[in-house]
Structures are given as C-alpha cells and as structure tokens.
Amino acid sequence: MVVLSLPMPQALILCSFPIYSAIPSNVSGRYGNRITGRNRLTKFSCAIGNGQREMNLRLRRKVVEHVCLLKANKDLSDDEEKDMLDYLYTSQYQMRGIVAVSLGKISGQTKEDYTHAVFMRFRSKEDLSKFYENPLYLEVLKEHLVPYCHGLMNVDYESEVEDDILPIFRKGEEFNYGVEFVLLIAFVEAAIDGPAEDALTSLQELTMECSSLIVQCTQGSNFNSSEEYTHGVVIRFRSLEAFEIFLTSSGYRDVWKSKFQPIARKTLAIHFSVDPVGTEIM
C-alpha cells in the first residue's frame, strides 16, 4: 500500500438522506463546467428489463473498483488541473491491470471539501495491490498529484458486472456520456453483516429496474482498511436528467429512509459529469 504524507479527512456525521436539495444543472466536466440542462423533478416508474438482459445478468464477472477523492489546492490553475487529470487518466495505458477509468471535477461543494474524483476498475485485488506499488503510479503521485492537492481518500471494493466486454471495460456509446455518482457509506458495526447487505441488495434491485436511467451500478464492502467508510457504490447515469430523476424519485427515497438511514452513521455523496474521450486527453 502507498503511504502519503497527506492529511486524511475528518469524519462527517451525516445520517440524513444523501441527496442534493437543489441539484444544479451546471455540472462540472473533466476540465471545467458545462451547462447540460435545466433542473427537473420528474415522476417516473422503472420497468424491468427484457428477458435478454435478465439472462445476461445471470452471467457475472468479478471486478475491483477503486475510488479516489481529492482535495485540490484552492489556487490550482487550469493548466495544473489538466496536468493532474491527464496523468491520472493516461495511467491506464502505462500500467497493467487497469480495466477502465473515469474522472472529473466534482459538481458543487461537498461537506468534506473534495474537489475531484477518480474511478478506476481493476481485474482483481492483486492487480490493485500492484497498482498501489507501481513505480509509475508513485511517480504520478509525487510529481502530478501531491503538489496540487492537500488531501485524498481511497475506497476499494469488489463487485460484479455483466460478463461481457462492453460492461466490463465500460466501453461503447452508453459509457461515452453521463454522470458518475459515488456514494460512500459507513454502516454501524452491528448492521454490517445483515441489515447492511439487505440495504445494498434493495438498492441494487432498484437500479436494475431502472435501465432507462442507469447504465451500470456496482457496490461492495470497502477493503481499504485506512478509511472509515465501510461500503462504496458507483452508479453511471445516462444523463444529468436521469441522475436527477432517480435521486428525487420516491423509490430511491423510500429505500434510503427505510433501509439505509437507520443503520448509516455517515455518508458522502458526490457526482461528476463524464465527457467523451478523444481530443480532450492525449
């Protein structure tokens, strides 16, 4: 594991519903802000996917998800931000084991003052362990991250996705755009084995019913022992509007209030926009 001389974030006591009271249309992209639509609180009903999708979901492949939240310095320039994110993104082409990457500037402000988020997918825990120790990664941290940031947090968990190339590698048109939503949860210790798993299962079932809004959802128990959050969830939404619809829906509210809120001692929810990769990062 990598040990950094960066201050770790203090605990955030937040047991209320993890949703934004006014979800902004101005969602931050990889290198800045862009207007992606207007706020809408829309009623919806999720429909169960067709038989082919249900069949595909029976075939699953284990993956390991890595979430890194950064606290960039307030005087970070646009060029410094681009340098930092470029090197983090292109690390997938220089280090084996990285299956997919998405990253961006967090939309709005978080109570723990995180400014940027990085999501990486690995084939196995072993690949993630090698990544943490890779000299190239350590160089990226030293030269292109530590000078621009004053804090970070890592969350790692194992999950499953459809056993197909596009879902595993997060490729194809569905993954070119959208909103990445990261939800970190610290369950009370007494709830870890039973109620926590039940809550996560309920959320997973809800996301599977909403394929018109959600491209993919993974979740799992955090095995990075240096952090206080016990579980992580990453949901890729098809658009900002889909993100707004889901988080303001009665279904999500009911699941959170009945399953999560009674047993969650701390939560952190962030989101960032995903732009197509092509001429932007090279």
Side-chain angles (χ1 to χ4, degrees):
M1 302 296 289
V2 177
V3 178
L4 295 177
S5 58
L6 294 174
M8 290 296 103
Q10 298 298 316
L12 170 66
I13 305 301
L14 178 62
C15 295
S16 59
F17 186 64
I19 193 170
Y20 312 94
S21 57
I23 302 175
S25 292
N26 188 4
V27 178
S28 300
R30 185 170 290 115
Y31 300 131
N33 298 333
R34 63 187 179 92
I35 304 299
T36 56
R38 56 193 177 88
N39 291 333
R40 288 177 56 182
L41 301 182
T42 307
K43 294 182 180 180
F44 79 103
S45 60
C46 293
I48 298 293
N50 60 31
Q52 181 61 48
R53 177 169 176 80
E54 292 175 359
M55 181 177 297
N56 290 341
L57 289 174
R58 298 192 191 107
L59 302 176
R60 311 291 286 176
R61 172 73 62 90
K62 286 186 177 182
V63 293
V64 172
E65 314 286 56
H66 168 68
V67 175
C68 180
L69 302 184
L70 306 174
K71 295 182 178 181
N73 299 333
K74 291 185 178 180
D75 59 352
L76 182 72
S77 68
D78 291 343
D79 288 342
E80 290 172 337
E81 180 186 41
K82 184 177 185 300
D83 177 78
M84 177 180 70
L85 296 180
D86 274 358
Y87 273 92
L88 287 169
Y89 185 85
T90 56
S91 62
Q92 64 184 308
Y93 306 124
Q94 304 175 42
M95 302 178 219
R96 298 185 62 180
I98 303 176
V99 175
V101 175
S102 70
L103 76 177
K105 188 175 182 180
I106 295 173
S107 178
Q109 294 183 340
T110 67
K111 291 188 177 181
E112 295 191 30
D113 297 326
Y114 291 106
T115 59
H116 296 78
V118 182
F119 168 83
M120 292 184 177
R121 172 170 293 167
F122 293 83
R123 295 176 300 180
S124 65
K125 291 182 179 180
E126 181 181 5
D127 284 340
L128 175 60
S129 179
K130 291 179 179 178
F131 168 78
Y132 274 124
E133 300 172 355
N134 192 310
L136 291 175
Y137 174 63
L138 297 178
E139 182 179 354
V140 169
L141 287 179
K142 180 181 178 181
E143 302 294 335
H144 305 283
L145 195 150
V146 172
Y148 305 141
C149 298
H150 61 275
L152 65 78
M153 175 175 60
N154 292 319
V155 171
D156 305 312
Y157 64 90
E158 188 175 57
S159 188
E160 293 183 342
V161 296
E162 294 179 55
D163 190 10
D164 196 12
I165 291 178
L166 296 184
I168 292 173
F169 289 88
R170 297 181 119 219
K171 299 296 183 182
E173 185 176 354
E174 288 186 320
F175 286 101
N176 282 342
Y177 301 88
V179 171
E180 206 84 83
F181 175 61
V182 178
L183 174 62
L184 305 181
I185 310 159
F187 289 109
V188 297
E189 186 174 355
I192 293 296
D193 293 331
E197 293 303 318
D198 178 61
L200 291 169
T201 298
S202 296
L203 177 60
Q204 183 71 33
E205 290 175 349
L206 180 63
T207 60
M208 290 173 63
E209 293 173 359
C210 300
S211 60
S212 62
L213 305 176
I214 294 171
V215 180
Q216 190 176 76
C217 172
T218 63
Q219 57 188 34
S221 175
N222 180 21
F223 58 82
N224 190 320
S225 59
S226 64
E227 305 301 342
E228 295 188 22
Y229 290 98
T230 61
H231 292 75
V233 179
V234 174
I235 303 176
R236 169 64 69 86
F237 287 93
R238 298 184 181 277
S239 64
L240 173 63
E241 183 181 27
F243 166 75
E244 294 174 347
I245 291 172
F246 184 81
L247 263 71
T248 56
S249 69
S250 60
Y252 181 63
R253 288 180 181 274
D254 290 345
V255 168
W256 182 262
K257 290 180 180 179
S258 64
K259 301 288 187 177
F260 285 87
Q261 188 168 326
I263 58 175
R265 61 179 177 82
K266 180 172 65 171
T267 63
L268 176 64
I270 66 96
H271 71 279
F272 61 92
S273 71
V274 177
D275 298 316
V277 176
T279 59
E280 294 186 10
I281 297 184
M282 286 294 171

